[in-house]
Amino acid sequence: MDVVVQLQRQLADHTASLFHEGFLNEQFNQLQQLQDESNPDFVVEVVSLFFEDSERLLNELAKALEQQAVDYKKVDAHVHQLKGSSSSIGAQRVQGVCIPFRNFCEEQNIEGCLKCLQQVKHEYSLVKNKLETLFKLEQQLIAAGGSFPTL
Amino acid sequence: YIGGVFDVESLVEKLLQQLASKQTILVNVYDTTNRSHPISMYGSNVSADGLQHVSTLNFGDPFRKHEMHCRFKQKPPWPWLAITTSIGILVIAYLVGYIFHATVNRIAKVEDDYNKMMELKKKAEAADVAKSQFLATVSHEIRTPMNGVLGMLHMLMDTDLDVTQQDYVRTAQGSGKALVSLINEVLDQAKIESGRLELDAVQFDLRAILDDVLSLFSGKSQEKGVELAVYISDRVPEMLIGDPGRFRQIITNLMGNSMKFTEKGHIFVTVHLVEEVIGSTEVETSSENTLSGFPVTDRCSSWKGFKAFSQEGSTFPLSPPSDSINLIVSVEDTGVGIPPEAQSRVFTPFMQVGPSISRIHGGTGIGLSISKCLVGLMNGEIGFVSIPKTGSTFTFTAVFTNGCSNPNEYKSHKINNQSNSASTEFQGMTALVVDPRPVRAKVSRYHIQRLGISVEVVSDLNQGWSNISSGNGAIDIVLVEQEVWDRDSHLSSLFINNFKKIDRRTPPKLFILANFISTSRTSATTSGDNTPSIIMKPLRSSMLAASLQRAMGVGSKGNARNRELPALRNLLLGRKILIIDDNNVNLKVAAGALKKYGAEVECADSGKKAVSLLKPPHCFDACFMDIQMPEMDGFEATKLIREMEKHGETSVEAYDNVSNWHVPILAMTADVIQATHEECLKCGMDGYVSKPFEAEQLYREVSRFFQSVPNGNL
C-alpha cells in the first residue's frame, strides 16, 4: 500500500514539475484524456512516434545545415514539421525554439540557424528524458497495483 | 267683273279661324291707297308694336290697295322650355365636365399616392431588411466579444487563482452571463416580432435538459432554503425530437420566475404525457400531500382553459400521428403569487407586476411573452393559476416527435453516455427511501431509478428498520429525508447503532437527503466511520451517482471535461472522417481526438492520396486537411477535389440522388491568419480549425455541416 502511495506522489510531483517548468503544456493533458480502455497506450504511442520523428528531423537538419549551399527551404520545412509535432503533444519548449529557428531560416542566417539547432537538440533531449522518466514511473505504479489518476 | 261686297270682318274671321293658334292674333286690315293715311277697315286700334306681318290683300279692286297686318296680341312669352332646356343642358354639360375633370384629377392623385406608397413600401422593405441585418449584425457583433470575454473568464478560472481572485472571476462571469442572456432575450423578442423565429428539430434527452436546468438553479435554491424537485413520468420516452435549446429556455424562464418570487416551501417541476393527465381531473391538493407541506394551487386549473383539452378536443388522441409526443409540463411554486389585477397582463411583453420588481429582481419582463411564443411554435398552450400568498402553478404543453425510432440503437448509445455509465455499476442494487411525503418520495424514487437501482419507500424509521432487518431483500442503500432524521435524534442514533450490528458482509450505506446545509448538522451526534453522508438536494442522477460512488468506493473514470463531449459526440458519432497530414505525430493525435468522439477515422499523409481517396463516389462525411505539405499542399489538393466533384458527375451512377458532391473540407492550420482564411475559402474549403484541436472551435466548425447523430449507416 505504501509503495503505491509513494509512487503516486512521485509521479504527481514529477508531472507537476514538468508543467511548472514549461516542458509540457495543456495539450499534453488533452492527450492523456484521449486515453481510455479502448486506447490504453495512446499517450505512450504518440510520444514514441514523436521521438522517432524528431530524431529523424534533427538528423536531417544537421545534414542540411552542413552543406556548402544550404537549402533554407528544406531546413524551414523540417523545422515546420518539428514545430507541428511538438505542439501536437504539448512539448512547449521545443515548440518555442522552433519559432526563432524559422525566422533565422527566412533571413538565411546560418549562424542563427546553427545556434537554434543546438538549442532544439538540447530542449528535445531534456523533454525526452523527462517523458521517459514519467513513463517509467507510470509503469512502476501499475506494476505495484495502483492506478494513476487522470489529471 | 262684278263687284262684290265683302263683309271684311266676317271674312277675316272666317279665314283666321283656321289660322288662329293659341295665341290670339290681332289682325288689322288697312286700306293703304293713300300711303300716309291708312284707313283701318278691320281690327282694333291697338298700337302696333312688336312683330307684325304685313301682307297685301287683293280684293280685285284695281284702284285700291289693301294690307293686312297680323300680329300676336301678346308679346311672345319667354321660351321657357328652350331656356330651361338649354340651361339644363348647360348645367349638365358643366357637371359632366366637372365630374370628368374631378375624375381625372382623382386618378392623377391616386396614381400619385400609389407612387408615393410604392416608394414608402420600398423604404419600409429596405428598413425591414436593414432591421434584419441589424439584428444579425448585432447578434454576431455583440455576442462575439461577449463570448470572447466569457471564454477568457472561463480559461482564467482554469488557471491558478487564490480564493479572492476566483470570487472576482466568478462575479465577472455571472455579470457577463447575465448580459448575454439579456441580449439574447431582447433579440429573441425582436426576432419574434418580425416572425423570424424558427425551431430546430434535433434529438435530445429531456431528462438531461432538466438535469442541466436543475443544476443551474440548485445553488440559488439552497441559498434561499427552497426545495427544488423535478419529476419526469416514466412514459416520457428517452429521446425526443424537437428544439432542446428553446425548450430549456421556456423551463428556465418559468423556474427563474418561480425562484424570484418564492422564499419558502418548494418549486416542483413535473413532466407528463398529456394522455396521463387528461383523465385525472382531481389532484390531491390537501396541504399534507404536497412536496414541502406548504399549500399549493390546484394545477388542474392552470390547464382548464387549454383548447386542446376542451370537449371538441376529445378526438384529440386520434388526430396526431403515432409518434408524436404531447408533453405537459408544470412548474409549481409556493411563492407570493400574482395579484389578480396583474394576472391578465402576465404574458404581455415588458410588463412586470410592479415597477419595483425589475429593481429588486432584475430582468426585463420579456421572458413570459417569449415563452408564450415559443410554446405556440411548439404547437402547445400555456396557462397558469395563481393565488396570492399561496403560490402559482404555470403549465404548458408542447408537441414533440419520438426520438427513439430504433430502440436497439439507443440502448447501445446509452451505455456510451457518461451519466449512464454509472447505471451499469449500480444495476441491480436496491435502495430504501424513508420519507413521509409521498410526492417527495416519488421524486426521489424517480431519480434513483434512473441509475438502475430499484426503490422501496417507507414513511418512517421504524418501518425502515423492519424492512432492512427482515433481510429478504438485500438493501444496499438507505436514504433518509432530513426532516425524518432530525425529528427524533434518539431514534436516529439508535438506527445507526443498529446498522453496526447488522450481520452482513457489507452493511447498507446510509445517506441523508438534505435541502440545505444547516450548521447545526455539523455537530451531529454520530461519529466514526458510520456517519451518514449527506446528499444535497435537488436530486440529480449524475450527482447522486457521484455521491454514491464516493461513499461506496465504486471507482470509475470520471472525466472532468464532459460538457463538450456529449455535444461533439452527437455530431461526430459514426461519421467517416479523413485526416490528411504529412506529420505522423499530428495524424495520430488528430485521429485519437476524433475517435474519442466516436468518429471512424482514416488517415493519409499526402495531398495526392487525399485527391485519390476523395474522388467521388466515396463514403467520407468530412475531411480535415493540413495546409502545409510537400509536393501538393492543402489548397492545391482541395482545388483538385472540387474540380473532380464538379466534372466527375457522369461517372456517378452508383449513388443515385447524390448529384452534387461536396464533401466538407476543413483546413487544419497551426497559424490562423486572416490571409489563410481567405485562401481557404478561395480554393473551396469550408472552414478551418486550429492544430492541435480545440474542442469549442471544433464543435463550432463541425456543427455547420453535421446536424445530429445518424441512424445507422449512410
Side-chain angles (χ1 to χ4, degrees), chain B residues 303-409:
Chain B
W303 66 66
K304 227 177 6 189
F306 283 8
K307 289 195 207 89
F309 298 172
S310 60
Q311 277 310 104
E312 311 96 66
S314 60
T315 57
F316 186 52
L318 302 174
S319 28
S322 56
D323 64 345
S324 89
I325 306 286
N326 271 301
L327 290 184
I328 179 166
V329 181
S330 283
V331 177
E332 166 189 280
D333 72 51
T334 53
V336 294
I338 307 176
E341 56 277 3
Q343 287 192 8
S344 52
R345 299 190 265 124
V346 149
F347 291 112
T348 327
F350 300 110
M351 277 303 168
Q352 294 200 327
V353 173
S356 53
I357 298 293
S358 57
R359 261 188 290 121
I360 301 176
H361 295 284
T364 46
I366 318 180
L368 276 176
S369 94
I370 294 182
S371 298
K372 182 167 178 184
C373 287
L374 290 174
V375 166
L377 284 172
M378 292 186 191
N379 295 324
E381 295 170 84
I382 185 166
F384 69 100
V385 61
S386 178
I387 302 177
K389 302 238 178 72
T390 304
S392 324
T393 302
F394 276 76
T395 306
F396 71 94
T397 56
V399 179
F400 295 105
T401 336
N402 199 333
C404 291
S405 48
N406 192 348
N408 296 329
E409 180 80 28

Side-chain angles (χ1 to χ4, degrees), chain B residues 250-270:
Chain B
I250 303 175
I251 297 210
T252 312
N253 173 245
L254 292 178
M255 279 181 74
N257 284 346
S258 292
M259 195 59 81
K260 263 190 231 171
F261 295 109
T262 308
E263 304 294 331
K264 60 175 177 29
H266 67 265
I267 298 178
F268 187 26
V269 181
T270 57

Side-chain angles (χ1 to χ4, degrees), chain B residues 504-517:
Chain B
R504 261 175 47 187
R505 283 174 290 128
T506 46
K509 286 276 181 228
L510 184 62
F511 295 94
I512 303 208
L513 297 173
N515 245 333
F516 24 86
I517 303 179

Side-chain angles (χ1 to χ4, degrees), chain A residues 26-27 30-31 33-37 42 45-46 49-50 53 80-85 87-89 102 150, chain B residues 557-561 582-586 588-589 592-593 595-596 626 628 630 670-671 691-693 695:
Chain A
E26 172 64 19
Q27 179 58 21
Q30 297 267 15
L31 273 192
Q33 286 191 9
L34 292 179
Q35 177 166 304
D36 57 20
E37 312 86 36
F42 184 69
E45 285 173 14
V46 175
L49 202 52
F50 169 70
D53 221 39
H80 173 73
Q81 288 267 334
L82 188 58
K83 177 162 168 260
S85 28
S87 86
S88 280
I89 69 156
R102 291 191 78 188
T150 54
Chain B
K557 290 194 186 150
N559 268 333
R561 303 255 199 109
D582 61 328
N583 185 317
N584 280 337
V585 178
N586 292 346
K588 199 165 169 72
V589 173
K595 277 193 201 139
K596 184 79 178 168
D626 182 27
Q628 270 167 300
D671 328 296
K691 191 160 59 154
F693 288 153

Side-chain angles (χ1 to χ4, degrees), chain A residues 20-76:
Chain A
H20 217 70
E21 293 166 27
F23 284 105
L24 293 178
N25 67 11
E26 172 64 19
Q27 179 58 21
F28 191 72
N29 277 339
Q30 297 267 15
L31 273 192
Q32 286 179 317
Q33 286 191 9
L34 292 179
Q35 177 166 304
D36 57 20
E37 312 86 36
S38 60
N39 225 338
D41 294 318
F42 184 69
V43 180
V44 176
E45 285 173 14
V46 175
V47 174
S48 320
L49 202 52
F50 169 70
F51 289 159
E52 278 177 37
D53 221 39
S54 309
E55 267 156 47
R56 177 182 59 87
L57 284 169
L58 288 172
N59 284 336
E60 294 285 325
L61 276 170
K63 250 197 296 192
L65 286 172
E66 278 167 21
Q67 304 287 335
Q68 287 285 39
V70 179
D71 182 356
Y72 284 104
K73 274 212 165 56
K74 207 154 77 142
V75 175
D76 185 64

